[in-house]
Amino acid sequence: MQNSIRIIASNWWKEAVVYQIYPRSFKDANGDGIGDLAGIFSKVDYLTELGVDAVWLSPINTSPMFDFGYDISDYRAIDPVFGSMADFDALVAALHKRNIRLLLDLVVNHTSHQHPWFVESRASRESAKRDWYIWHNGKKGAPPNNWQSVFGGSAWEWDETTESYYLHSFLKEQPDLNWRNPQVKDAVFADIEFWLQKGVDGFRLDVVNCYYKDQQFRDNPLRLWGWRHPRPYELQHHVHDMSQPEMHPLLRDLRQLLDKYDATSVGEVLVDFSGDPELAAGYLGRDDELHMTFDFTLLDQKWDAKAMANVLRTWLNACGENWPTLAFNNHDRSRSYTRYAKRGESSQRAKILAALLLTMKGTPYLYYGEEIGMKDGSVSRAEMKDPVGIRYWPLAQGRDPARTPMLWDDSANGGFTSGTPWLPVNDDFAGRNVASEKNDPTSLWHWYRELLSLRKQHAALRLGDWKEIYGGKDVFAYRRTIGNESIDVFLNFSAKPVTLPPVEGKILLSNCSRHELQGALTGHEILMVQSNAVAR
Ligand code: NOJ
Ligand code: CA
């Protein structure tokens, strides 16, 4: 029988700012050129100084690294390249001591082909774990249907041993689990609980809408081929191998488990080629499925106040009573600094984006290096590591440019490693790194820090209601209100001056040493005004 008592967990995750670390690229402590847990441990004071409340680590479990950790062969162990369980425990303790929570990446749509479950499953048709994965006979010597891997090519791999096909929505080294088998759910939930008991505060769920597939294995409808999309090699709409309704009851069960530990969750919802706010918000249920999901349309916007306002309004509306997230960067996409680069305007744009991220309604997610304005690295074909980049170069560059090493200082390799970095260090590291930006009070790093601290001081920014207050072409402006505190935010996306609508109150933040609320907004001006709703 289902336990009907709903544990009322706290809402810490609504007030937190999350910092995503790609562990291979953050800090290498032992000189092998690959970032590790000891490296992250050595930077916990940096995280405190910056002012984030939680860290999300991209996968650190044992993995043969075909997809750099998104192919896990042991859910309960730490990959030796990242360190040991003792390193992990030390990191959790160090973070918790500083009131920083820890989220892990939960990659359970698929395992590695080297996971003992799959090894057993593929050994024979009679294996006890045969039905833990999705096996199918071919159709007249061809795969069972037309489903394609998100990384291109058929999603079915022929396996000689038992003369049968298995399904892999990503690489062939990432076989999909069969979530229709209750044993899979029990085993994965036990692995989740293992980490909850170790003190983990939540999970980011990889491709959370892919777990279930159409039981009749119907073909997906085809789409027109397009160059301009980040995955131009995708030739179909994932109607039957993604977003099946069975996911919702599963997430309700997961929510109960997480709430028992006051842990949170944030889901990656994959869609054909971009984001889909309605679909992403759909996995929040009635605040009884995932705590949060990402809307990737936020990463596909051009630099335009109106377009940005539209996409955020749509996302907040889709979330309704549930809680939104905000993220302009992650390990799969070109970095925002590069996406919005424009001669003479890039650094101003980065400050506007930071202000947007940290003053909008929703839990902000920063990606390592965003706070110093890291650009996409240039990674040559010879240096490339991402299997997707390697497979589709030069049609697509893959994801390595967004995964280059963190730039700590102007010493060799930007202070990332004493060895040879696994990906090249960005060539502008001497002028753009944490140490140099700390020394410059006008830097992007100081700007992020100031915004993070304002957010901490003002409940209106963390939890307040949100409403647009001005619909100009170049200015995005909104008001955050809680109790009798209200904060107005004006962001001028253009390089031109724009009339400032009438506004009263105290200037909380300005990027151009403004002292009065008269006059136009200057080009790229960022202005935050605090007013007392009662006095209004
Ligand atoms: C989404 C992750 O963000 C990406 O990096 C990974 O390659 C795929 N899921 C497969 O796990
Ligand atoms: Ca290392």
Side-chain angles (χ1 to χ4, degrees):
M1 228 180 84
Q2 276 262 329
N3 183 352
S4 60
I5 301 163
R6 174 95 197 273
I7 289 135
I8 307 298
S10 72
N11 280 336
W12 64 266
W13 47 275
K14 293 188 176 173
E15 301 193 52
V17 176
V18 185
Y19 186 89
Q20 181 192 354
I21 290 178
Y22 194 71
R24 289 185 86 81
S25 301
F26 196 59
K27 174 72 187 168
D28 174 24
N30 67 352
D32 66 356
I34 300 175
D36 41 46
L37 295 180
I40 301 171
F41 181 89
S42 73
K43 295 295 182 186
V44 288
D45 286 331
Y46 171 74
L47 299 170
T48 304
E49 206 181 345
L50 183 60
V52 297
D53 309 290
V55 168
W56 148 30
L57 299 183
S58 277
I60 53 170
N61 301 120
T62 315
S63 163
M65 304 285 171
F66 283 86
D67 192 18
F68 295 102
Y70 284 92
D71 50 322
I72 294 172
S73 55
D74 185 349
Y75 287 107
R76 297 200 189 195
I78 304 293
D79 192 279
V81 84
F82 296 128
S84 63
M85 193 57 91
D87 294 328
F88 177 81
D89 292 337
L91 178 61
V92 177
L95 290 170
H96 283 174
K97 195 170 141 206
R98 289 160 180 79
N99 284 324
I100 299 178
R101 288 180 157 93
L102 177 64
L103 314 189
L104 294 184
D105 221 307
L106 184 68
V107 189
V108 293
N109 169 72
H110 44 268
T111 67
S112 158
H113 66 313
Q114 293 182 13
H115 194 293
W117 298 341
F118 187 68
V119 172
E120 194 179 332
S121 182
R122 96 191 303 183
S124 97
R125 286 186 183 238
E126 282 69 49
S127 146
K129 293 217 167 49
R130 183 62 169 181
D131 197 36
W132 283 43
Y133 292 82
I134 303 171
W135 293 97
H136 211 294
N137 292 326
K139 254 192 343 210
K140 296 186 194 135
N145 65 18
N146 78 348
W147 293 356
Q148 282 200 319
S149 150
V150 172
F151 293 156
S154 172
W156 296 97
E157 179 72 9
W158 174 250
D159 199 44
E160 279 298 334
T161 321
T162 55
E163 303 198 315
S164 181
Y165 288 92
Y166 67 85
L167 184 76
H168 59 91
S169 298
F170 298 89
L171 300 176
K172 69 178 190 323
E173 293 84 4
Q174 295 168 301
D176 284 38
L177 282 164
N178 176 17
W179 276 88
R180 295 187 184 278
N181 182 339
Q183 292 175 352
V184 166
K185 177 184 168 189
D186 290 347
V188 172
F189 274 44
D191 287 344
I192 294 173
E193 198 150 12
F194 170 84
W195 291 104
L196 291 170
Q197 283 174 357
K198 287 190 81 68
V200 161
D201 304 289
F203 299 91
R204 174 265 191 190
L205 283 82
D206 191 63
V207 298
V208 73
N209 59 323
C210 297
Y211 296 9
Y212 290 89
K213 283 83 185 171
D214 179 39
Q215 264 177 313
Q216 298 167 51
F217 294 96
R218 281 170 287 188
D219 277 345
N220 279 330
L222 301 180
R223 78 180 279 262
L224 292 177
W225 195 78
W227 278 95
R228 288 184 58 78
H229 190 270
R231 300 197 296 268
Y233 41 85
E234 269 207 60
L235 304 172
Q236 62 183 212
H237 294 287
H238 292 281
V239 172
H240 297 302
D241 56 345
M242 290 184 189
S243 313
Q244 304 300 299
E246 291 88 339
M247 198 60 208
H248 298 285
L250 176 70
L251 289 178
R252 286 194 285 273
D253 289 351
L254 176 68
R255 177 64 174 257
Q256 299 219 346
L257 173 60
L258 295 173
D259 280 354
K260 265 210 294 205
Y261 291 85
D262 198 16
T264 197
S265 57
V266 55
E268 180 201 30
V269 179
L270 267 200
V271 239
D272 294 345
F273 324 116
S274 175
D276 180 337
E278 291 290 335
L279 184 77
Y283 291 99
L284 303 170
R286 295 191 185 132
D287 197 18
D288 60 354
E289 296 185 26
L290 291 170
H291 298 77
M292 298 173 273
T293 54
F294 292 117
D295 174 18
F296 292 133
T297 48
L298 269 57
L299 286 98
D300 279 336
Q301 292 317 301
K302 54 181 195 255
W303 190 257
D304 177 292
K306 261 209 137 87
M308 196 61 98
N310 277 337
V311 76
L312 287 166
R313 188 187 316 114
T314 307
W315 173 225
L316 264 52
N317 284 339
C319 290
E321 297 289 299
N322 289 321
W323 194 250
T325 59
L326 300 151
F328 295 114
N329 289 282
N330 65 40
H331 62 293
D332 292 327
R333 297 295 191 95
S334 167
R335 285 180 176 271
S336 59
Y337 201 91
T338 296
R339 291 202 315 271
Y340 294 132
K342 186 172 179 198
R343 184 177 277 233
E345 296 185 22
S346 300
S347 60
Q348 297 292 26
R349 288 181 170 196
K351 286 190 174 174
I352 293 174
L353 202 69
L356 185 60
L357 177 76
L358 294 165
T359 62
M360 275 294 294
K361 180 179 171 183
T363 298
Y365 285 75
L366 274 84
Y367 182 53
Y368 83 94
E370 174 179 336
E371 72 276 27
I372 53 167
M374 254 179 93
K375 301 176 188 165
D376 285 350
S378 54
V379 180
S380 69
R381 174 66 185 79
E383 295 161 322
M384 211 172 266
K385 299 288 189 307
D386 177 19
V388 181
I390 291 170
R391 185 161 178 185
Y392 292 102
W393 191 90
L395 183 64
Q397 304 298 311
R399 302 165 294 179
D400 291 335
R403 300 175 176 178
T404 55
M406 178 69 171
L407 308 172
W408 293 105
D409 55 41
D410 62 7
S411 69
N413 297 318
F416 165 68
T417 180
S418 58
T420 308
W422 77 287
L423 280 178
V425 171
N426 290 6
D427 50 20
D428 64 349
F429 77 91
R432 184 182 298 275
N433 59 63
V434 171
S436 69
E437 293 203 21
K438 274 194 191 175
N439 285 333
D440 171 7
T442 69
S443 70
L444 186 60
W445 188 84
H446 277 281
W447 184 251
Y448 267 91
R449 189 163 117 108
E450 191 170 352
L451 285 160
L452 282 157
S453 125
L454 274 176
R455 195 177 168 97
K456 209 149 271 169
Q457 291 161 44
H458 298 279
L461 293 176
R462 300 191 305 276
L463 295 169
D465 292 339
W466 176 85
K467 95 166 186 232
E468 280 172 276
I469 51 175
Y470 178 68
K473 178 163 90 46
D474 296 314
V475 176
F476 184 26
Y478 45 87
R479 175 170 298 161
R480 303 292 313 278
T481 309
I482 198 165
N484 61 9
E485 185 192 34
S486 179
I487 295 175
D488 292 349
V489 180
F490 298 89
L491 305 171
N492 182 2
F493 275 58
S494 80
K496 298 170 303 211
V498 177
T499 320
L500 175 66
V503 54
E504 282 171 44
K506 174 180 146 211
I507 298 176
L508 261 191
L509 183 76
S510 153
N511 62 336
C512 55
S513 49
R514 171 188 282 276
H515 298 295
E516 294 177 9
L517 287 173
Q518 269 104 50
L521 286 170
T522 58
H524 294 131
E525 181 162 351
I526 299 159
L527 174 63
M528 278 168 67
V529 181
Q530 179 190 32
S531 61
N532 187 314
V534 176
R536 212 170 254 277

